[in-house]
Amino acid sequence: MGKYRDAVLADSPVRYYRLGDATSTAVEEISGANGTYVNTPTLGATSLVQSETDTAVTFTKASSEYVTCGTALVIADTFTFELWVQRAALGGDEVLISIGGSGTAQIKFLGA
């Protein structure tokens, strides 16, 4: 646990996926709506937050790797989504978050 986690949780998020997991389960710390890593992304990557000892995950678009966010969310017309990403290269359009459905959403974090 660290300063980054504390700062995120201070904003009272509905869900918090740190994506620093060591297994195929993407742990969700608020509601317990754990997600699942799909198509074997690389777990245990170095974190972008240098002061943290927790690890990160690397997704590869070519391998269609992603993580689902557990149970669907009820999303209002206005909402905020926060994501820290380090891309391997710039250029081209990438879908990093996919939200579908009407009134509820299954958020999918996609590989870049």
Side-chain angles (χ1 to χ4, degrees):
M1 312 308 168
K3 291 180 183 180
Y4 173 76
R5 178 184 179 275
D6 294 344
V8 171
L9 294 179
D11 287 338
S12 301
V14 174
R15 302 262 176 104
Y16 175 58
Y17 295 90
R18 172 59 182 82
L19 303 184
D21 310 292
T23 68
S24 62
T25 299
V27 175
E28 194 289 310
E29 295 189 35
I30 307 293
S31 69
N34 294 339
T36 303
Y37 291 102
V38 178
N39 294 332
T40 324
T42 303
L43 305 178
T46 302
S47 175
L48 292 176
V49 183
Q50 295 178 356
S51 63
E52 300 291 322
T53 58
D54 204 358
T55 60
V57 62
T58 301
F59 297 98
T60 305
K61 179 181 176 183
S63 298
S64 299
E65 297 167 349
Y66 62 93
V67 60
T68 64
C69 74
T71 59
L73 293 166
V74 175
I75 294 184
D77 290 339
T78 303
F79 63 94
T80 300
F81 196 90
E82 182 176 335
L83 177 68
W84 280 49
V85 176
Q86 179 180 8
R87 295 182 58 186
L90 296 177
D93 293 330
E94 301 291 344
V95 176
L96 299 176
I97 303 165
S98 173
I99 303 173
S102 56
T104 63
Q106 178 66 43
I107 299 170
K108 186 187 286 188
F109 304 92
L110 305 171

